[in-house]
Amino acid sequence: MEPREGVSKQDIREQIWDYMESQNLADFPRPVHHRIPNFKGASQAAEHFPRLQAFKMARTIKVNPDAPQKNARFFVLDSKKTLLVPTPRLRTGLFNKIIPPPGATKDVLRRCATSEGVRNYSAPVGLDSRVLVDLVVVGSVAVSEKGWRIGKGEGYADLEYAMMVSMGAVGPGTPVVTIVHDCQVVNIPETLLEDHDLTVDYILTPTRVITTGCERPKPTGITWSKISWEMLGKIPILRSLRCREEQAGKDVTLRDEPRHLLATPSIVRKPRGPPLPELGSGQVEDVPSNTVYVGNLPRDARVSELKTALGVLGAAPLRLTWQGPQRRAFLHYRDAASAQRALFCLQGFHLGANALKVARARQQRTSDLVGGRAEEPHPDHRPSVADP
């Protein structure tokens, strides 16, 4: 099956999805349209994975969470290597480390490799973790023998890789593998490729292993001019990386952002909203501007959960004042600039199902910040001021 002349990336996607469904090559979940398609023979294709020299040499491997790569995730765990899996749509961080229970059998490891296992046996990996990824596995809708790849059209695999570059987790020599059905290996016109598109070094199918020898450079970081305000709003860790790169002097102008409106940490607007009702009335005093207020915490939230989430987003404070009964906390940073960067990174922040209120802690009484009750409404009691 070869694409027609003058096709677009979406044309190629639709052609492959349609073909896999019409020929009954697709596997659950179906239909495969708008997905990284699962296919009959995916397990057989994955069996090539542990035989790759790149796999044997790797210690830490990142594998996408899609169904066709389930067996690849199992082989990583079964080989006692570190498995990292991206969080869905990057909404809660970049990736999670899968941690099987002690003494896990092969059956348990297979369960850990499923989407349910990723949820139940994982811990988030933060921006400051200094993780090094030795091998990357991505899903594809289409791929060429030259190593050119087309995903499902949302750009997450390309962005995940670019974010890993930005945080120093991968480099130019980090191999990239994809696992596909033979029908997904097609000619892709070079004119369709863009600088931010990720290429692959190995293609595994049920019948063969293709070493692409691709010399086209992989993304060297995040191409901010391809990122929209909408995407930035949906991905907290992307905002954290933008803060860091802006501080490093890089151009972080977004696709739909005029240069003169470039949002630096010093001009981020404070979220609008009514005065916080739970703080009570009384004379208002300014508190130090290096403090950030977090409200609307879940009733059963633990301070440890908040600390973990802040660490993943690269917004861990020097100290944290926990006021669980009032469903709020105060984050104390080194200086006003650090607090403002954290505020920017925490816009749209969720803990559990709750969208948290995040604002600079001005216009609050000093007594509310440093006094009052601060017991955590959960058995593992913690003091009101905690070091992160």
Side-chain angles (χ1 to χ4, degrees), residues 272-301:
R272 296 180 179 180
L276 301 170
E278 69 269 29
L279 292 176
S281 59
Q283 185 171 352
V284 173
E285 303 174 18
D286 274 350
V287 298
S289 60
N290 63 344
T291 301
V292 172
Y293 163 87
V294 177
N296 196 38
L297 292 165
R299 295 187 184 279
D300 59 350

Side-chain angles (χ1 to χ4, degrees), residues 25 61 73 158 163 172 187 218 241 260 279 282 378:
L25 300 173
I61 302 176
R73 295 191 292 273
D158 300 325
M163 292 169 71
N187 289 329
K218 292 182 173 62
L241 282 169
H260 69 280
L279 292 176
H378 205 277

Side-chain angles (χ1 to χ4, degrees), residues 287-364:
V287 298
S289 60
N290 63 344
T291 301
V292 172
Y293 163 87
V294 177
N296 196 38
L297 292 165
R299 295 187 184 279
D300 59 350
R302 303 183 185 210
V303 66
S304 57
E305 294 172 335
L306 179 59
K307 287 180 179 181
T308 298
L310 293 171
V312 167
L313 297 176
L318 289 177
R319 293 183 299 114
L320 185 153
T321 301
W322 177 261
Q323 297 185 351
Q326 291 81 23
R327 299 176 61 194
R328 69 189 183 206
F330 293 93
L331 314 179
H332 310 284
Y333 292 90
R334 186 178 305 278
D335 49 37
S338 299
Q340 193 66 48
R341 286 193 296 273
L343 179 63
F344 178 70
C345 295
L346 295 175
Q347 298 308 300
F349 180 28
H350 283 67
L351 193 64
N354 286 29
L356 304 189
K357 300 176 183 177
V358 182
R360 289 288 283 274
R362 293 177 180 175
Q363 308 303 318
Q364 321 296 350

Side-chain angles (χ1 to χ4, degrees), residues 62 90 94 136 138 155-170 195-198 218-224 226-227 238 241 245 250:
K62 172 256 167 188
L90 304 177
L94 181 51
V136 173
V138 296
Y156 283 105
D158 300 325
L159 182 57
E160 288 163 8
Y161 185 88
M163 292 169 71
M164 287 192 289
V165 173
S166 294
M167 63 186 290
V170 297
D195 290 343
H196 66 276
D197 286 332
L198 180 61
K218 292 182 173 62
T220 57
I222 299 169
T223 306
W224 293 104
K226 298 290 185 181
I227 305 295
L238 188 60
L241 282 169
E245 296 209 354
K250 296 183 179 180

Side-chain angles (χ1 to χ4, degrees), residues 161 171-172 174-176 195 197-201 214 216-221:
Y161 185 88
T174 306
V176 177
D195 290 343
D197 286 332
L198 180 61
T199 57
V200 303
D201 302 291
C214 184
R216 185 181 179 89
K218 292 182 173 62
T220 57

Side-chain angles (χ1 to χ4, degrees), residues 72-122:
R73 295 191 292 273
F74 164 73
F75 285 129
V76 175
L77 295 174
D78 192 44
S79 299
K80 296 181 170 49
K81 299 177 186 289
T82 299
L83 173 62
L84 303 178
V85 178
T87 61
R89 297 182 181 272
L90 304 177
R91 285 177 178 162
T92 59
L94 181 51
F95 34 57
N96 289 335
K97 177 181 176 180
I98 310 305
I99 307 174
T105 64
K106 287 186 182 294
D107 286 342
V108 172
L109 292 180
R110 290 189 185 281
R111 191 159 61 248
C112 291
T114 65
S115 56
E116 178 184 357
V118 170
R119 288 193 300 270
N120 296 335
Y121 298 99
S122 66

